[in-house]
Amino acid sequence: MNHPALAALLSCLGPDRARTDDFCRALYSQDDTPARSLPEIVLFPHSHDEVVQLVQIAAKYRLPLTPRGAGSGNVGGALPLAGGAVVSFECMNQVLEYAPKERLIRVQSGCITAEIDQIAASDRLCYPPDPGSSPYCRIGGNLAMNAGGPHAVKYGVTRDYVLGLKAVTGTGDTLQTGVRTSKGVVGYDLTRLLVGSEGTLALITEATLRLVPRPESRALLRAAFRSSEDACAAVLRVMGQLQTPSAVEFMDSQSLAAVRAMGAAKDLPDGSQALLMVEVDGSTESIPVQLAALETAIQGEGLLQLLSGQDRTSQEALWAARKSLSPATKAMAPLKINEDVVVPVPQLPTLLAAIDEIRQELDLQIVSFGHAGNGNLHVNILVDPSRAGELERARRGLDHLFRTVLASGGTLSGEHGIGSVKRDYVALELDPVALDLQRRIKELFDPLGILNPGKVFPHE
Amino acid sequence: MNHPALAALLSCLGPDRARTDDFCRALYSQDDTPARSLPEIVLFPHSHDEVVQLVQIAAKYRLPLTPRGAGSGNVGGALPLAGGAVVSFECMNQVLEYAPKERLIRVQSGCITAEIDQIAASDRLCYPPDPGSSPYCRIGGNLAMNAGGPHAVKYGVTRDYVLGLKAVTGTGDTLQTGVRTSKGVVGYDLTRLLVGSEGTLALITEATLRLVPRPESRALLRAAFRSSEDACAAVLRVMGQLQTPSAVEFMDSQSLAAVRAMGAAKDLPDGSQALLMVEVDGSTESIPVQLAALETAIQGEGLLQLLSGQDRTSQEALWAARKSLSPATKAMAPLKINEDVVVPVPQLPTLLAAIDEIRQELDLQIVSFGHAGNGNLHVNILVDPSRAGELERARRGLDHLFRTVLASGGTLSGEHGIGSVKRDYVALELDPVALDLQRRIKELFDPLGILNPGKVFPHE
């Protein structure tokens, strides 16, 4: 404990909440990527004021700070690449204000996302953004990455539910943004500048979130198709009619093979090469109307089977194939490279054709599924690094994938973000003027470069 | 025509589209405020590339540029306070791409807002933001101010429908922001940084806008109340149940008096002191369910009359009182100071009580109405500047109003913006750290300070 910054942090939070032991440092050296990077110290502040103190100490000693929610991110955003301190928000999990009549909740950034929604449920309200990790991820991480989820197709993403933020800039200044009303146009939109900035502009300590009425009922359709092309055509018909579904999830033939190998999806008809899950929600009276419209839209070339589930048990049975995908893909190879590219919905067939080409030309295992209503697919390249050249072929596959996505009018990431993993692809998508302005905005908020270094921006 | 900047602009656009005649300069010296400010030249570019050229000339000669849509703004945002050039986007009114299957439209920023919605209507889609000026205002102005409108209570504001922008910074650089997909998290959100920045960061030349399914049907309820307090209690009940209405418009007793003086609203029961208009929209089947829920919510203390309109004719009859308000208030006094403050919905009674106090203590005519479901009221102070001290009393009234709004957790503007009119109140709302960061962001985008000078920021 010779480093004066570490000593100052320890004296600020005490030994229980400023940890330098090997076990704790190892625990906070990783996220949901295979990479590892050891911090020098792990900090567990309780309050905004403590975060201010931490940042002021870090600024004084130029110590890198890496903010962390639950560490469930897929792009290395929470890895302390430059060492320094990990600032874990796990202990900042207080609900500061819940005002159902104003349809808002104000929380510390360490609150668990699903728990926020559960509080709202007590007044038949809802916090819609629901990334797959919502039972354990923290709202601060969702804000940093602008998290999405399957219901984004109807309800939008994290950005759309943030009224205001409290944060600490890289100079240790407290920044208040936004409003607590549903409208407000005073000044530049710093709220949405911070959302999605991946902890590089400021550490978010509090958020005022907008709540909406909770849907009374939901129902589910599961449609099996003879080919991915037929399923994509159905997605386009679904998104081309007036009843916006609450989820449109897609699984390709490789996904179906993976879950079949685990013994799931036994009830699919022979020849099923793609699956769609289409969910609707709303008032109980609206469900039959919505279902009828969606069943009509799904009908078409290549449909092999269409099942509906209106009660909870039958819906869970229909979701089973989709839910078994994550363990199924993890069992396929030691390394899963999980991309979340987006293309315009009419371009989904182009994207899937390119993935087939990559699979065949580069002899790679690729499993693709995801939020087809947003054109947002999770493309998982399953790699065994011990096999000669496989990592290099995966890298070439990613290059091909990203170029196809951008040529189709798409974007490199719909919800995972850039982090450290995708930073060298950012310049393919953003124009130099935009990138330069972003670098200079970063310098304004964090002139010392201590906030989450090594993220978002390409290597220079 | 000695000024070399004017000569360069004239040679760039030609005399038809670079106007220095007194008539044209006078026409473009005003917006929907009483103030006037003469530009030296009025420019009518046709294309993004022409805008780049204009800004490069202006940058070279340090000539102020004031962007302008239809000039329908209420806060002096389009006034060329520092002289220089007005850049009118009226001739940039092309639809560049309409892709109903992608639910998007890409337009030049001079397109008329309602016309964008009309194009979408041909595919049963809709562009929801509908400021009162939508039949003649330009989308670029809506983007600059983050315009709202009565339907914001259900559909949100301009910001929520922008996928991406093309713009020209104060250095004449072309900036592309955003995506054309419904999700995207690559880089900082420069799109929403530009939306609401009132032309001070960049001149927006193109926008890619998100479209949504068009509601099939709508229905209207009109409720007369014995007092504003009773009407506010009903607004709270309406916003506290699960069927989000598509509009919740409020008129106070002074508004009713004004329209009665014009001969309208004769069918209101005696003793009506406040009126609510509550609209629902959606699929035809959903309308009766929504209406039933809202009728229940509206029922309560002080309700004198509740009428419903389900066909177009009866709805128009019910809207008549509300629609006659604008001409009615214009007839009341030479000067209308039109504020659009917002408070949390439960604080509406506090706001209305403060307005009563201001009216009585300062002997002012004040007519208040607006988007009560968002807590967003238009507070119109009607002033005859020829009456001794009346302008000064109005100024004191505004001070009182703004302080009440901020003390209630509200914001100074829900949809009109800051412009030149409210700039000296901004520091009451924004904290110094946020304001300082905004000034420095302005310097990044417009280091020469040529874009819409004299707007948004307080005098230093």
Side-chain angles (χ1 to χ4, degrees):
Chain A
M1 184 48 57
N2 283 326
H3 195 315
L6 303 192
L9 292 167
L10 194 59
S11 116
C12 176
L13 291 187
D16 284 352
R17 298 196 287 115
R19 301 279 295 270
T20 53
D21 54 289
D22 289 348
F23 177 74
C24 192
R25 289 167 58 220
L27 209 56
Y28 287 83
S29 68
Q30 49 190 298
D31 64 359
D32 201 21
T33 57
R36 299 281 178 275
S37 186
L38 271 183
E40 296 171 77
I41 191 167
V42 185
L43 306 171
F44 299 90
H46 275 163
S47 66
H48 173 85
D49 289 345
E50 283 187 351
V51 176
V52 170
Q53 290 171 45
L54 302 182
V55 177
Q56 288 175 346
I57 292 169
K60 181 174 172 189
Y61 295 101
R62 306 290 193 273
L63 188 81
L65 294 177
T66 301
R68 179 187 175 97
S72 52
N74 310 90
V75 292
L79 296 178
L81 295 181
V86 163
V87 183
S88 168
F89 283 88
E90 286 158 283
C91 300
M92 286 180 62
N93 60 357
Q94 300 298 303
V95 174
L96 301 170
E97 180 185 5
Y98 171 53
K101 286 189 176 177
E102 293 183 54
R103 291 187 178 180
L104 70 79
I105 189 166
R106 188 161 58 88
V107 297
Q108 283 187 313
S109 55
C111 281
I112 289 176
T113 306
E115 292 180 0
I116 294 169
D117 181 54
Q118 276 312 303
I119 292 167
S122 61
D123 289 282
R124 298 202 294 165
L125 293 169
C126 157
Y127 174 71
D130 60 339
S133 52
S134 58
Y136 50 92
C137 67
R138 311 271 171 171
I139 192 72
N142 292 188
L143 293 161
M145 309 313 273
N146 190 14
H151 293 115
V153 66
K154 179 170 180 179
Y155 291 99
V157 296
T158 303
R159 173 215 293 146
D160 303 312
Y161 293 88
V162 188
L163 295 170
L165 297 172
K166 190 169 178 181
V168 183
T169 67
T171 50
D173 289 307
T174 292
L175 171 63
Q176 295 262 13
T177 75
V179 289
R180 56 180 290 141
T181 50
S182 54
K183 285 166 93 175
V185 294
V186 174
Y188 300 159
D189 191 346
L190 298 186
T191 305
R192 280 157 202 85
L193 188 61
L194 293 191
V195 173
S197 67
E198 305 197 5
T200 61
L201 295 179
L203 303 188
I204 296 169
T205 57
E206 289 181 23
T208 305
L209 303 171
R210 183 169 79 89
L211 305 173
V212 297
R214 195 170 196 85
E216 275 177 331
S217 300
R218 63 182 76 239
L220 188 64
L221 296 168
R222 197 190 74 180
F225 289 89
R226 206 173 42 200
S227 72
S228 279
E229 292 71 26
D230 292 331
C232 289
V235 172
L236 202 54
R237 293 194 298 272
V238 162
M239 296 308 294
Q241 51 81 54
L242 297 187
Q243 301 287 349
T244 301
S246 51
V248 185
E249 295 292 301
F250 166 86
M251 290 170 67
D252 77 346
S253 60
Q254 309 296 308
S255 305
L256 293 179
V259 299
R260 279 193 189 112
M262 299 278 284
K266 286 190 190 304
D267 59 337
L268 287 180
D270 289 344
S272 299
Q273 293 294 317
L275 197 66
L276 286 185
M277 312 290 304
V278 178
E279 189 194 77
V280 297
D281 70 8
S283 68
T284 305
E285 296 88 343
S286 75
I287 299 292
V289 179
Q290 292 191 66
L291 275 181
L294 285 162
E295 284 174 351
T296 304
I298 290 169
Q299 298 288 345
E301 185 75 21
L303 177 66
L304 299 178
Q305 184 192 50
L306 178 57
L307 301 177
S308 73
Q310 301 197 40
D311 61 84
R312 197 165 169 159
T313 313
S314 62
Q315 287 178 36
E316 279 174 7
L318 292 180
W319 274 121
R322 174 68 181 81
K323 300 266 165 147
S324 61
L325 245 182
S326 191
T329 52
K330 282 200 172 156
M332 286 171 74
L335 175 61
K336 182 171 84 169
I337 300 175
N338 178 0
E339 295 301 332
D340 78 313
V341 295
V342 193
V343 293
V345 175
Q347 299 296 327
L348 278 171
T350 309
L351 174 61
L352 287 164
I355 292 169
D356 270 340
E357 215 178 290
I358 295 167
R359 179 186 298 116
Q360 285 158 22
E361 283 187 9
L362 295 169
D363 185 26
L364 291 166
Q365 276 194 299
I366 312 180
V367 174
S368 303
F369 57 91
H371 317 311
N374 290 111
N376 185 194
L377 284 200
H378 295 276
V379 181
N380 294 274
I381 306 184
L382 298 151
V383 178
D384 182 348
S386 69
R387 286 168 57 179
E390 193 156 297
L391 255 179
E392 170 55 22
R393 280 181 284 122
R395 203 199 52 72
R396 282 162 54 205
L398 281 186
D399 261 18
H400 185 150
L401 176 69
F402 290 155
R403 286 177 203 279
T404 302
V405 163
L406 294 175
S408 308
T411 177
L412 300 180
S413 177
E415 50 189 22
H416 292 171
I418 302 303
S420 49
V421 168
K422 288 202 215 185
R423 53 188 295 213
D424 285 324
Y425 295 102
V426 167
L428 291 179
E429 177 165 342
L430 299 183
D431 81 66
V433 172
L435 201 51
D436 179 58
L437 284 166
Q438 293 181 42
R439 279 192 202 280
R440 293 163 73 192
I441 289 171
K442 160 76 176 171
E443 286 168 19
L444 286 187
F445 281 76
D446 178 27
L448 305 170
I450 58 173
L451 299 185
N452 215 3
K455 312 297 162 65
V456 178
F457 292 99
H459 288 92
E460 287 189 272
Chain B
M1 184 49 56
N2 283 326
H3 195 315
L6 303 192
L9 292 167
L10 195 57
S11 118
C12 176
L13 292 186
D16 284 352
R17 299 196 286 115
R19 302 281 295 270
T20 53
D21 55 288
D22 289 349
F23 177 74
C24 192
R25 289 167 58 221
L27 209 55
Y28 288 83
S29 69
Q30 50 189 297
D31 63 0
D32 201 22
T33 58
R36 298 283 179 273
S37 184
L38 271 183
E40 295 170 78
I41 191 166
V42 184
L43 306 171
F44 301 90
H46 275 163
S47 67
H48 173 85
D49 290 346
E50 283 188 351
V51 176
V52 170
Q53 291 171 46
L54 302 181
V55 178
Q56 288 174 346
I57 292 168
K60 181 175 173 187
Y61 296 101
R62 306 290 194 272
L63 187 81
L65 294 177
T66 300
R68 180 186 174 97
S72 52
N74 310 90
V75 291
L79 297 178
L81 295 180
V86 163
V87 183
S88 169
F89 284 87
E90 285 159 284
C91 299
M92 286 179 63
N93 59 357
Q94 300 300 302
V95 174
L96 301 170
E97 179 185 6
Y98 171 53
K101 287 189 176 177
E102 293 184 52
R103 291 188 177 178
L104 68 80
I105 190 166
R106 188 160 59 87
V107 297
Q108 284 188 313
S109 55
C111 281
I112 289 176
T113 306
E115 292 180 359
I116 294 170
D117 182 54
Q118 276 313 302
I119 292 167
S122 62
D123 289 283
R124 298 202 294 166
L125 292 169
C126 157
Y127 174 71
D130 61 337
S133 53
S134 57
Y136 50 92
C137 67
R138 311 272 171 171
I139 192 72
N142 291 187
L143 293 162
M145 311 312 273
N146 190 13
H151 293 116
V153 67
K154 180 171 180 178
Y155 291 99
V157 297
T158 303
R159 173 214 294 147
D160 303 311
Y161 293 88
V162 189
L163 295 170
L165 297 171
K166 191 169 178 180
V168 183
T169 67
T171 49
D173 289 305
T174 293
L175 172 64
Q176 294 262 13
T177 76
V179 288
R180 56 181 290 140
T181 51
S182 54
K183 286 165 93 176
V185 294
V186 174
Y188 300 159
D189 192 346
L190 299 186
T191 305
R192 281 158 200 86
L193 187 62
L194 293 191
V195 172
S197 67
E198 305 195 5
T200 61
L201 295 180
L203 304 187
I204 296 170
T205 57
E206 290 181 22
T208 305
L209 303 171
R210 184 169 78 90
L211 305 172
V212 297
R214 196 170 194 85
E216 277 177 331
S217 300
R218 62 183 77 238
L220 188 64
L221 296 167
R222 196 190 74 180
F225 288 89
R226 205 173 43 202
S227 72
S228 280
E229 291 72 24
D230 292 330
C232 289
V235 172
L236 203 53
R237 293 193 298 272
V238 162
M239 296 307 294
Q241 52 81 55
L242 297 189
Q243 302 286 350
T244 302
S246 53
V248 184
E249 295 292 301
F250 166 87
M251 292 171 66
D252 77 346
S253 60
Q254 308 295 308
S255 305
L256 294 178
V259 299
R260 280 196 190 107
M262 299 279 284
K266 285 191 191 303
D267 57 338
L268 287 180
D270 290 344
S272 299
Q273 294 294 315
L275 198 65
L276 287 186
M277 311 291 301
V278 179
E279 189 193 76
V280 296
D281 70 8
S283 68
T284 305
E285 297 88 343
S286 76
I287 298 292
V289 179
Q290 293 190 66
L291 275 181
L294 285 163
E295 284 174 351
T296 303
I298 290 168
Q299 298 288 345
E301 185 76 19
L303 177 68
L304 299 177
Q305 184 191 52
L306 178 58
L307 301 177
S308 74
Q310 299 196 42
D311 61 85
R312 196 162 169 161
T313 314
S314 62
Q315 287 177 36
E316 278 173 8
L318 292 180
W319 274 121
R322 173 69 180 80
K323 300 266 164 146
S324 62
L325 245 181
S326 190
T329 52
K330 282 200 173 156
M332 287 173 74
L335 176 61
K336 181 171 84 168
I337 300 175
N338 177 1
E339 296 301 333
D340 77 314
V341 293
V342 192
V343 293
V345 174
Q347 300 296 327
L348 277 171
T350 309
L351 173 61
L352 287 163
I355 292 169
D356 270 341
E357 215 178 288
I358 295 166
R359 179 187 296 116
Q360 285 159 23
E361 282 187 9
L362 295 170
D363 186 26
L364 291 166
Q365 277 194 299
I366 312 181
V367 175
S368 304
F369 57 92
H371 318 311
N374 290 112
N376 184 195
L377 284 199
H378 294 276
V379 181
N380 293 275
I381 306 183
L382 298 151
V383 178
D384 183 348
S386 70
R387 286 167 58 180
E390 193 155 296
L391 255 180
E392 169 56 20
R393 279 182 284 120
R395 204 199 52 73
R396 281 164 51 206
L398 281 186
D399 261 17
H400 185 151
L401 175 69
F402 289 154
R403 286 175 203 280
T404 302
V405 163
L406 294 175
S408 309
T411 177
L412 299 179
S413 177
E415 51 188 21
H416 290 172
I418 301 303
S420 49
V421 167
K422 288 202 215 185
R423 52 188 295 211
D424 285 324
Y425 295 103
V426 167
L428 291 179
E429 177 165 341
L430 299 184
D431 81 67
V433 172
L435 201 51
D436 179 57
L437 284 166
Q438 292 181 42
R439 279 191 202 279
R440 294 164 72 192
I441 289 171
K442 160 78 175 169
E443 286 168 19
L444 286 187
F445 281 76
D446 178 27
L448 305 169
I450 58 174
L451 298 185
N452 215 2
K455 312 295 162 66
V456 179
F457 293 100
H459 287 93
E460 286 190 273

